[in-house]
Amino acid sequence: MLWCGCGVLLVLCICPLTCLTMSSCPPGCCCPGPGFLVLCESLNLRSLPRPVPLSTSALSVARNQLCNVDHLLRALSSLQELSLSHNLLARFPRGLPPSLESLLLQENRITYITAGSLRQLGNLTHLDLEDNRIRAIQPGALQALSKLQVLTLKGNNLSSLPRNLPPSLTHLDLSANCISTLDLPSLSPLVNLQVLKINSNCLRSVPDRAFDRLPLLRSVDLTNNLWVCECDILYLYRWLLNGRLKMATDLVCTEPGHLAHRLLLNLSVMALCPRVLTPNERTPLSHLSSATVKPTERSLFENKKDLRDLQISKLTTVPVFSKDVPETRLLLEHFTLQTLTYEKCLILNKTQSVSPSNLKTVTYPPDEEQKCPNITGGYPQSNTTSAGETQSLLPTNRDAPWLTPAPRQFTQQSSAVVISLLTVLCVLITLLVMAVLLVLRLVLRRQMRVAPLDAGSVG
C-alpha cells in the first residue's frame, strides 16, 4: 500500500514538472521555433532573460541595456548564433559557449580585445565588432580562431592592421578606422582572403607587392584615403591599371598640392614620379615597365567621362560558404537571426500557433538588475564617410545573404507529436496506478471477510 502511495505522488510530481519544462519562450521574447530561435530585442533589459531553453541554437538580445554577460551563457551548449549588438558592453564578453559560430557585437563600448576572451571560441566563423571603440587588439588574440572566415572591424579606432590574423579569413572589413599603413607581415599570411575593405582610413600609399601574395583576392575597396600621388604610389598605380580585380578605381589624390583632387588614374607616370626618367637615376625601371601607360591607355584615361564609364559600380559581396562548416538544426521555417526581425517574429506568432516543446531551461543568478558603470558619452557614433563609399562588407539588413551554417530540419508537427506522446504517457501512468490501487483495495476487503470465518471455525 505504501508503494502505491509513493507511485501516485511520483506521477503527481512528474506531470507538473513536465508542463513547466514545456515553456516555449522567456516572457516578452519572441520564439518562432520554440527552444531553437529566441529573440529578446528592444526590451530595455538590464539582465539576460529567463528561462532560456538549453536547446536554444540562436539567441538575440540586441538593442537592450546589457553591460555584463560574463559566464552567463556557458550552459547553452547548443548555442551557435548570438547577437549582443546595440548594448552597453565595455569589454568583450567572457565565458561564452565554445559551440558559437556567429557572434554579433556591433555598437557596444568595447575598447580592447585580449587573447583570453577568445581562447575558447575555436568554432567561430563570423565575428562582427563594427562601431565599437576598439583602439588595440592584443597580438595573436585572433589567431586561435582557426575557422574564422568573416571579421568586421569597421568604425573603430584602430591605427594599424591587427597582427597575427587567422589565415582562414576570407572577408576582412577595416573601413572607417585610422589605419595609416598596410603592414606586410600582417597582410601576407592571409592566403585565403577574397574581400578586403580598407576604405575611409588614412592610407597614403601601398607598399610594394602588398597584394601579390594574396592569390584569392577578388575585391578591394581603397576609396576615401589620403593618397599622396608621388613615387611611392607607383605600385598601386600599376596594380590598378592591370584591372584584374573588382574594385572602385576613383582614388583621389590629396597631395602634393598641384595634384590634389585629381583622379590617380588620370595622371601619367611622369606626373607622379618625374625622376623615373631622369638620367643617372639608380632606380631600376624594370619594375615600372608595366606601369608605363600605353598611348591608347593614356588617351583612354585623359577624359574623366571615359574614366567614369570604366569605373566599377559599388561593391556588393556574396558570402562564401565553406564545406568545413558543420551542419546544425534548421530553425522553424528556415529562420535565423539574420533573416527574421523581432517585429516579423511577433507577427508570425499571431498568425500561426506554435506548440511548446519539452525543453530544459537555464536559469541565472538571483534577480539583480545590472548597473552599468557611468561612462561619459552615449552610444558610439559611426564614422561618417562620403557618398562614394561602397557598401559594408556584411549587410546589416536581415534579408541580405548571410554566412550561416546549414541546419537540420525541425518542424512544428514533430513538436506537437512529442507533446501528445508525453500527455498520453502521463494519462496511462495515472490509470495504471489507479487500477493497481483498486485491485489492492478489493484484495484487502476479501481478506478482512475471510479472517472472521476462520476464527469462528477454530472456536
Side-chain angles (χ1 to χ4, degrees), residues 362-382:
V362 59
T363 56
Y364 305 109
D367 294 324
E368 294 180 359
E369 286 194 350
Q370 298 179 1
K371 294 183 179 180
C372 299
N374 187 13
I375 304 176
T376 57
Y379 287 101
Q381 300 293 329
S382 349

mmCIF file of all heavy atoms in Angstrom, residues 362-382:
data_model
loop_
_atom_site.group_PDB
_atom_site.id
_atom_site.type_symbol
_atom_site.label_atom_id
_atom_site.label_comp_id
_atom_site.label_asym_id
_atom_site.label_seq_id
_atom_site.Cartn_x
_atom_site.Cartn_y
_atom_site.Cartn_z
ATOM 1 N N VAL A 362 17.684 27.089 -18.712
ATOM 2 C CA VAL A 362 18.804 27.532 -17.903
ATOM 3 C C VAL A 362 18.364 28.765 -17.124
ATOM 4 O O VAL A 362 17.658 29.617 -17.628
ATOM 5 C CB VAL A 362 20.036 27.861 -18.778
ATOM 6 C CG1 VAL A 362 19.713 28.952 -19.776
ATOM 7 C CG2 VAL A 362 21.218 28.281 -17.912
ATOM 8 N N THR A 363 18.749 28.816 -15.864
ATOM 9 C CA THR A 363 18.432 29.972 -15.024
ATOM 10 C C THR A 363 19.716 30.668 -14.651
ATOM 11 O O THR A 363 20.802 30.097 -14.688
ATOM 12 C CB THR A 363 17.692 29.537 -13.747
ATOM 13 O OG1 THR A 363 18.482 28.562 -13.060
ATOM 14 C CG2 THR A 363 16.341 28.921 -14.100
ATOM 15 N N TYR A 364 19.588 31.915 -14.260
ATOM 16 C CA TYR A 364 20.733 32.752 -13.939
ATOM 17 C C TYR A 364 20.720 33.099 -12.461
ATOM 18 O O TYR A 364 19.786 32.765 -11.738
ATOM 19 C CB TYR A 364 20.706 34.033 -14.792
ATOM 20 C CG TYR A 364 20.629 33.740 -16.256
ATOM 21 C CD1 TYR A 364 19.462 33.998 -16.977
ATOM 22 C CD2 TYR A 364 21.703 33.170 -16.914
ATOM 23 C CE1 TYR A 364 19.389 33.699 -18.329
ATOM 24 C CE2 TYR A 364 21.635 32.879 -18.262
ATOM 25 C CZ TYR A 364 20.489 33.146 -18.957
ATOM 26 O OH TYR A 364 20.416 32.859 -20.291
ATOM 27 N N PRO A 365 21.738 33.781 -11.968
ATOM 28 C CA PRO A 365 21.790 34.176 -10.558
ATOM 29 C C PRO A 365 20.572 34.988 -10.157
ATOM 30 O O PRO A 365 19.761 35.371 -10.991
ATOM 31 C CB PRO A 365 23.075 35.010 -10.483
ATOM 32 C CG PRO A 365 23.904 34.510 -11.599
ATOM 33 C CD PRO A 365 22.948 34.113 -12.674
ATOM 34 N N PRO A 366 20.422 35.279 -8.836
ATOM 35 C CA PRO A 366 19.219 35.957 -8.343
ATOM 36 C C PRO A 366 18.883 37.214 -9.114
ATOM 37 O O PRO A 366 19.710 37.794 -9.786
ATOM 38 C CB PRO A 366 19.589 36.293 -6.890
ATOM 39 C CG PRO A 366 20.626 35.313 -6.533
ATOM 40 C CD PRO A 366 21.366 34.997 -7.789
ATOM 41 N N ASP A 367 17.621 37.651 -9.002
ATOM 42 C CA ASP A 367 17.113 38.795 -9.755
ATOM 43 C C ASP A 367 17.794 40.080 -9.308
ATOM 44 O O ASP A 367 17.280 40.803 -8.470
ATOM 45 C CB ASP A 367 15.601 38.948 -9.570
ATOM 46 C CG ASP A 367 14.864 37.782 -10.191
ATOM 47 O OD1 ASP A 367 15.296 37.280 -11.230
ATOM 48 O OD2 ASP A 367 13.842 37.407 -9.622
ATOM 49 N N GLU A 368 18.936 40.353 -9.899
ATOM 50 C CA GLU A 368 19.631 41.598 -9.599
ATOM 51 C C GLU A 368 19.861 42.323 -10.908
ATOM 52 O O GLU A 368 20.518 41.823 -11.795
ATOM 53 C CB GLU A 368 20.978 41.317 -8.920
ATOM 54 C CG GLU A 368 20.832 40.696 -7.543
ATOM 55 C CD GLU A 368 22.193 40.454 -6.920
ATOM 56 O OE1 GLU A 368 23.188 40.768 -7.585
ATOM 57 O OE2 GLU A 368 22.253 39.960 -5.790
ATOM 58 N N GLU A 369 19.278 43.484 -11.033
ATOM 59 C CA GLU A 369 19.469 44.257 -12.247
ATOM 60 C C GLU A 369 20.898 44.765 -12.315
ATOM 61 O O GLU A 369 21.438 45.286 -11.346
ATOM 62 C CB GLU A 369 18.497 45.434 -12.300
ATOM 63 C CG GLU A 369 17.068 45.019 -12.610
ATOM 64 C CD GLU A 369 16.233 46.215 -12.981
ATOM 65 O OE1 GLU A 369 16.740 47.337 -12.791
ATOM 66 O OE2 GLU A 369 15.101 46.026 -13.435
ATOM 67 N N GLN A 370 21.504 44.586 -13.495
ATOM 68 C CA GLN A 370 22.862 45.054 -13.664
ATOM 69 C C GLN A 370 22.885 46.568 -13.753
ATOM 70 O O GLN A 370 22.035 47.168 -14.396
ATOM 71 C CB GLN A 370 23.458 44.462 -14.950
ATOM 72 C CG GLN A 370 23.532 42.944 -14.912
ATOM 73 C CD GLN A 370 24.101 42.404 -16.215
ATOM 74 O OE1 GLN A 370 24.442 43.183 -17.100
ATOM 75 N NE2 GLN A 370 24.213 41.110 -16.310
ATOM 76 N N LYS A 371 23.834 47.144 -13.103
ATOM 77 C CA LYS A 371 24.019 48.595 -13.181
ATOM 78 C C LYS A 371 25.323 48.863 -13.899
ATOM 79 O O LYS A 371 26.393 48.523 -13.412
ATOM 80 C CB LYS A 371 24.038 49.218 -11.780
ATOM 81 C CG LYS A 371 22.692 49.087 -11.058
ATOM 82 C CD LYS A 371 22.732 49.781 -9.722
ATOM 83 C CE LYS A 371 21.380 49.673 -9.004
ATOM 84 N NZ LYS A 371 21.394 50.332 -7.696
ATOM 85 N N CYS A 372 25.214 49.438 -15.081
ATOM 86 C CA CYS A 372 26.402 49.690 -15.871
ATOM 87 C C CYS A 372 27.184 50.840 -15.278
ATOM 88 O O CYS A 372 26.609 51.784 -14.735
ATOM 89 C CB CYS A 372 26.022 50.004 -17.318
ATOM 90 S SG CYS A 372 25.149 48.650 -18.122
ATOM 91 N N PRO A 373 28.523 50.786 -15.370
ATOM 92 C CA PRO A 373 29.328 51.903 -14.879
ATOM 93 C C PRO A 373 29.017 53.171 -15.634
ATOM 94 O O PRO A 373 28.627 53.143 -16.801
ATOM 95 C CB PRO A 373 30.774 51.432 -15.152
ATOM 96 C CG PRO A 373 30.641 50.380 -16.197
ATOM 97 C CD PRO A 373 29.319 49.729 -15.976
ATOM 98 N N ASN A 374 29.158 54.291 -14.970
ATOM 99 C CA ASN A 374 28.849 55.585 -15.569
ATOM 100 C C ASN A 374 29.929 55.950 -16.567
ATOM 101 O O ASN A 374 31.024 56.370 -16.199
ATOM 102 C CB ASN A 374 28.765 56.647 -14.467
ATOM 103 C CG ASN A 374 28.277 57.966 -15.037
ATOM 104 O OD1 ASN A 374 27.793 58.013 -16.154
ATOM 105 N ND2 ASN A 374 28.398 59.018 -14.261
ATOM 106 N N ILE A 375 29.625 55.765 -17.832
ATOM 107 C CA ILE A 375 30.579 56.044 -18.898
ATOM 108 C C ILE A 375 30.152 57.322 -19.591
ATOM 109 O O ILE A 375 29.010 57.458 -20.000
ATOM 110 C CB ILE A 375 30.629 54.883 -19.908
ATOM 111 C CG1 ILE A 375 30.967 53.573 -19.176
ATOM 112 C CG2 ILE A 375 31.619 55.156 -21.010
ATOM 113 C CD1 ILE A 375 30.946 52.364 -20.092
ATOM 114 N N THR A 376 31.074 58.228 -19.710
ATOM 115 C CA THR A 376 30.743 59.513 -20.330
ATOM 116 C C THR A 376 30.417 59.295 -21.785
ATOM 117 O O THR A 376 31.057 58.516 -22.475
ATOM 118 C CB THR A 376 31.936 60.477 -20.209
ATOM 119 O OG1 THR A 376 33.063 59.867 -20.816
ATOM 120 C CG2 THR A 376 32.231 60.789 -18.770
ATOM 121 N N GLY A 377 29.416 60.039 -22.221
ATOM 122 C CA GLY A 377 29.001 59.925 -23.613
ATOM 123 C C GLY A 377 28.000 58.815 -23.797
ATOM 124 O O GLY A 377 27.876 57.912 -23.001
ATOM 125 N N GLY A 378 27.260 58.871 -24.865
ATOM 126 C CA GLY A 378 26.255 57.856 -25.155
ATOM 127 C C GLY A 378 26.836 56.764 -26.018
ATOM 128 O O GLY A 378 27.999 56.436 -25.938
ATOM 129 N N TYR A 379 25.988 56.197 -26.831
ATOM 130 C CA TYR A 379 26.450 55.156 -27.728
ATOM 131 C C TYR A 379 27.452 55.743 -28.715
ATOM 132 O O TYR A 379 27.348 56.885 -29.138
ATOM 133 C CB TYR A 379 25.277 54.576 -28.527
ATOM 134 C CG TYR A 379 24.385 53.707 -27.702
ATOM 135 C CD1 TYR A 379 23.175 54.184 -27.199
ATOM 136 C CD2 TYR A 379 24.756 52.410 -27.418
ATOM 137 C CE1 TYR A 379 22.360 53.375 -26.444
ATOM 138 C CE2 TYR A 379 23.929 51.593 -26.665
ATOM 139 C CZ TYR A 379 22.732 52.073 -26.183
ATOM 140 O OH TYR A 379 21.924 51.270 -25.443
ATOM 141 N N PRO A 380 28.447 54.926 -29.103
ATOM 142 C CA PRO A 380 29.421 55.429 -30.058
ATOM 143 C C PRO A 380 28.763 55.745 -31.393
ATOM 144 O O PRO A 380 27.930 55.004 -31.860
ATOM 145 C CB PRO A 380 30.407 54.259 -30.198
ATOM 146 C CG PRO A 380 29.651 53.060 -29.732
ATOM 147 C CD PRO A 380 28.665 53.563 -28.734
ATOM 148 N N GLN A 381 29.174 56.849 -31.964
ATOM 149 C CA GLN A 381 28.616 57.241 -33.262
ATOM 150 C C GLN A 381 29.449 56.606 -34.349
ATOM 151 O O GLN A 381 30.649 56.548 -34.295
ATOM 152 C CB GLN A 381 28.658 58.776 -33.415
ATOM 153 C CG GLN A 381 27.877 59.493 -32.348
ATOM 154 C CD GLN A 381 26.387 59.229 -32.484
ATOM 155 O OE1 GLN A 381 25.916 59.031 -33.581
ATOM 156 N NE2 GLN A 381 25.664 59.215 -31.392
ATOM 157 N N SER A 382 28.770 56.139 -35.414
ATOM 158 C CA SER A 382 29.508 55.562 -36.509
ATOM 159 C C SER A 382 30.227 56.651 -37.284
ATOM 160 O O SER A 382 29.737 57.742 -37.425
ATOM 161 C CB SER A 382 28.608 54.830 -37.472
ATOM 162 O OG SER A 382 27.369 54.670 -36.999
#
